């Protein structure tokens, strides 16, 4: 375990050059410290990028089909270690053990999909204008990539980046969230144990200084980032002067639209799952319900009955329905946002406070439903990233779509209606990347793009074959014979 507290550079586990560390604390019980992990700086990034550069040519030379073998072997090891991964995710991120097991499955699905793509990573042949000439296209890896990840999916999101980066022939430096360093270290160890050549995948633990150094490094050809809009914008700005290639997966303020002909039982179930799964800490979490005035009272009654019965507790307790939030900052942010919402006219229908009764010292927020939320209130416009749901009244189809689209984000969206014409019109007009009809507004498949509209995303999406447009660049070639 002790070596995992450091960085992984050029195939070796090393402490940070800074000599600094930071504690990794269990959100469900702050007395439980998983370890003191490296708090690295620019000098550590320099060494990791050097290692990634040195490994590039040989890794590229293997070709995608042989590179896929390393992904498959890492997948076998992660599968065999699935229980350790799930327990670690729950202990350092806080989510329910069942949710952590689901995350391990998701990560393996992405790995499986990506390895399979190795036999399709080609280009096209094209007609030539000249006689006795072949014209065609092919892809080349962009080079060394920096992978910067958040804490809410500490295994799946790094995997969404590591797997396609390596398969495409890039070499990588992973900088995970400082809140979830151990899961990232276990991931990197699995690839090392799978025989990955030294320097192909490097790990530098730490926070903003590490991310900034990666973005600034001239030898880093691309940054794949998942996190908040302000940090994504800062990365885009910092890299603009050298036309840094970026893939930015950002925040959301996702709406579920409930029209007057909706199946309210189905809608209630989907909203509860979408809003309170992982305590609302998902970029695609349901954060707003835009409900028609003809059904809103009945919907709120149903929601409150379900939500008030949810049990908040540690992720390791099989009796828990809702996990803690990740740290004290997140808890304060949620509760402060609820108080400001009340000032704007919203009414707390249930929750709205911290939960402490019979719980260990941790960051527990009661699942909260706010009703009568003005569509333009701060709580209806800005990401909360916690178990807080805003119900907003709407009057008819056009009004509902207007409200759903009134935010600067566009990650996911869902609509509940029995009318086929309104289904297709909603799909056409919803300003969000991942759309759902009569089902929860969360969830994605490894072979579909994880895509957002507006400020939720910038650059080629993750997952799906679209991901190659980030990690590779096109070449065209003509051969005269
Ligand atoms: P964050 O933006 O605070 O941090 C994300 C990562 O960026 C961390 O590793 C952090 O250390 C690093 N970082 C911070 N400042 C940096 C800088 N100036 N330059 C480079 N790197 C820097 O986000 P978070 O709190 O870890 O995660 C929550 C956010 O992530 C939410 O907004 C959520 O919606 C978003 N998210 C998006 C997706 C998606 O696929 N679109 C998925 C999950 C989470």
């Amino acid at each position: 375990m002790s070596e995992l507290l450091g960085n992984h550079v050029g195939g070796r586990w090393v402490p940070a050059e800074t000599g600094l560390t930071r504690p990794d604390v269990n959100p469900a019980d702050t007395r439980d410290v998983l370890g003191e992990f490296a708090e690295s700086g620019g000098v550590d990034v320099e060494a990791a990028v050097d290692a990634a550069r040195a490994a590039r040519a040989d890794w590229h030379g293997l070709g995608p089909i042989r590179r896929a073998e390393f992904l498959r072997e890492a997948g076998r090891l992660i599968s065999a270690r699935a229980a350790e991964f799930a327990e670690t995710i729950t202990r350092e991120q806080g989510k329910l053990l069942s949710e952590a097991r689901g995350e391990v499955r998701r990560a393996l699905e992405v790995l499986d999909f990506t390895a399979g793509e190795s036999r399709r990573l080609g280009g096209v042949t094209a007609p030539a204008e000249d006689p006795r000439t072949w014209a065609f296209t092919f892809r080349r890896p962009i080079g060394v990539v920096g992978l910067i990840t958040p804490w809410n999916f500490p295994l799946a999101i790094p995997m969404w980046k590591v797997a396609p980066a390596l398969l495409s022939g890039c070499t990588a430096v992973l900088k995970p969230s400082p809140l979830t360093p151990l899961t990232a270290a276990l991931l990197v160890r699995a690839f090392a144990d799978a025989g990955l050549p030294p320097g192909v995948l490097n790990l530098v633990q730490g926070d903003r200084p590490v991310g900034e150094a990666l973005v600034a490094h001239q030898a880093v050809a691309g940054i794949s980032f998942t996190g908040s809009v302000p940090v994504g914008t800062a990365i885009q700005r910092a890299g603009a002067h050298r036309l840094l290639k970026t893939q930015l997966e950002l925040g959301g303020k996702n709406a579920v639209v409930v029209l007057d002909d909706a199946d309210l039982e189905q809608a209630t179930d989907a909203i509860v799952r979408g809003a309170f799964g992982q305590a609302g800490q998902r970029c695609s979490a349901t954060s707003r319900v835009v409900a028609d005035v003809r059904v809103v009272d009945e919907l709120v009654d149903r929601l409150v009955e379900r939500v008030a019965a949810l049990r908040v507790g540690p992720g390791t307790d099989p009796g828990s329905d809702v996990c803690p939030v990740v740290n004290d900052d997140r808890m304060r942010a949620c509760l402060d946002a609820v108080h400001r919402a009340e000032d704007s006219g919203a009414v707390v229908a249930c929750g709205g406070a911290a939960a402490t009764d019979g719980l260990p010292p941790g960051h527990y927020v009661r699942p909260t439903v706010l009703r009568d939320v003005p569509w333009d209130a701060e709580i209806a416009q800005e990401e909360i990233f916690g178990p807080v749901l805003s119900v907003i009244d709407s009057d008819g189809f056009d009004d509902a779509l207007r409200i759903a689209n009134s935010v600067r984000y566009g990650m996911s969206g869902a609509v509940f209606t029995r009318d086929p014409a309104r289904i297709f019109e909603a799909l056409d007009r919803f300003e969000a990347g991942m759309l759902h009809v009569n089902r929860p507004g969360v969830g994605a498949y490894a072979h579909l793009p994880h895509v957002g509209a507006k400020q939720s995303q910038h650059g080629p999406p993750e997952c799906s074959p679209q991901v190659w447009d980030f990690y590779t660049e096109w070449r065209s070639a003509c051969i005269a014979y």
Side-chain angles (χ1 to χ4, degrees):
M1 160 75 181
S2 63
E3 65 177 15
L4 299 182
L5 300 172
N7 296 326
H8 191 72
V9 177
R12 292 192 313 122
W13 292 97
V14 291
E17 289 280 342
T18 58
L20 302 174
T21 61
R22 156 201 303 249
D24 182 11
V25 180
N26 182 344
D29 185 342
T30 53
R31 297 165 299 190
D32 178 26
V33 177
L34 283 77
E36 292 281 338
F37 282 80
E39 183 75 12
S40 315
V43 57
D44 299 290
V45 169
E46 200 65 47
V49 173
D50 283 351
R53 285 168 88 176
R56 248 188 92 182
D58 286 351
W59 184 241
H60 179 209
L62 282 180
I65 294 173
R66 287 177 66 197
R67 288 194 293 264
E69 286 308 312
F70 292 93
L71 272 62
R72 292 201 175 91
E73 181 58 18
R76 280 189 280 273
L77 293 173
I78 292 168
S79 249
R81 301 171 188 174
E84 181 188 16
F85 271 98
E87 283 156 21
T88 303
I89 291 170
T90 292
R91 193 169 158 214
E92 74 174 356
Q93 193 275 343
K95 67 182 69 176
L96 303 180
L97 205 44
S98 55
E99 293 169 334
R101 291 191 186 112
E103 177 171 351
V104 177
R105 276 196 303 278
R106 282 281 299 280
L108 288 169
E109 284 162 10
V110 168
L111 201 50
D112 185 46
F113 168 78
T114 309
E117 281 287 286
S118 64
R119 290 180 184 272
R120 269 192 289 262
L121 206 58
V124 294
T125 54
E129 291 179 10
D130 304 300
R132 299 180 63 80
T133 303
W134 271 89
F136 57 97
T137 64
F138 60 101
R139 292 179 182 271
R140 276 293 167 267
I142 61 174
V144 175
V145 288
L147 313 176
I148 303 177
T149 56
W151 44 264
N152 65 331
F153 284 97
L155 176 64
I157 291 180
M159 187 67 94
W160 288 0
K161 300 184 192 301
V162 167
L166 301 193
L167 196 277
S168 67
C170 294
T171 55
V173 178
L174 170 65
K175 193 218 82 66
S177 166
L179 301 183
T180 51
L182 181 54
T183 308
L186 294 178
L187 170 68
V188 170
R189 186 176 66 176
F191 275 94
D193 292 349
L196 198 72
V200 171
L201 173 61
N202 305 278
L203 171 71
V204 182
Q205 304 278 14
D207 202 357
R208 182 176 169 169
V210 178
E212 286 181 336
L214 270 175
V215 172
H217 202 299
Q218 294 293 325
V220 173
I223 292 283
S224 178
F225 167 82
T226 301
S228 60
V229 171
V231 175
T233 311
I235 289 173
Q236 187 69 10
R237 204 180 300 119
H241 70 98
R242 65 182 179 101
L243 302 179
L244 175 68
K245 194 168 184 187
T246 56
Q247 176 183 54
L248 308 175
E249 304 275 349
L250 308 174
K253 187 71 196 175
N254 312 297
V256 168
V257 169
V258 181
L259 297 175
D260 58 0
D261 64 339
D263 177 333
L264 293 187
E265 193 177 327
Q266 189 185 46
T268 303
D269 190 57
I271 292 165
V272 171
R273 285 162 57 188
F276 302 110
Q278 257 185 236
Q281 301 168 116
R282 293 191 280 209
C283 60
S284 57
T286 300
S287 183
R288 297 177 294 155
V289 171
V290 181
D292 195 278
V293 285
R294 291 156 199 85
V295 296
V296 69
D297 288 340
E298 186 183 343
L299 182 70
V300 169
D301 287 349
R302 285 170 180 264
L303 281 171
V304 169
E305 191 185 334
R306 283 281 302 275
V307 175
L310 295 175
R311 281 164 300 177
V312 188
T316 47
D317 181 346
S320 302
D321 300 308
V322 179
C323 66
V325 295
V326 75
N327 61 13
D328 194 51
D329 288 351
R330 196 94 304 281
M331 186 161 97
R332 290 284 124 229
C334 292
L335 298 177
D336 291 351
V338 170
H339 294 142
R340 289 197 300 276
E342 288 183 281
D343 293 342
S344 73
V347 174
V348 176
C350 69
T356 48
D357 294 352
L359 293 168
H363 313 297
Y364 299 95
V365 177
R366 290 191 192 288
T368 301
V369 178
L370 297 165
R371 63 168 307 164
D372 302 331
V373 177
W375 68 269
D376 56 353
E378 180 200 356
I379 194 124
Q381 293 285 317
E382 290 306 322
E383 186 178 48
I384 302 295
F385 225 56
V388 179
L389 179 69
S390 295
V391 181
I392 305 165
D393 293 5
S394 60
D395 190 1
F397 181 78
D398 288 336
D399 194 40
L401 262 290
R402 176 189 65 77
I403 293 169
N405 291 338
S406 67
V407 296
R408 65 188 170 119
Y409 303 95
M411 184 52 68
S412 72
V415 61
F416 283 80
T417 176
R418 293 181 168 99
D419 179 345
R422 294 206 288 188
I423 289 174
F424 283 100
E425 189 160 355
L427 291 178
D428 194 37
R429 288 170 54 187
F430 226 122
E431 293 170 359
M434 294 182 286
L435 300 171
H436 301 267
V437 177
N438 296 330
R439 48 170 279 144
V442 291
Y445 303 144
H447 54 287
L448 291 181
H450 193 276
V451 64
K454 300 200 274 193
Q455 290 186 24
S456 286
Q457 201 208 321
H458 181 79
E462 301 201 273
C463 305
S464 81
Q466 272 76 45
V467 75
W468 306 122
D469 290 335
F470 175 70
Y471 292 103
T472 67
E473 55 197 14
W474 284 108
R475 298 277 188 275
S476 73
C478 299
I479 303 176
Y481 61 93

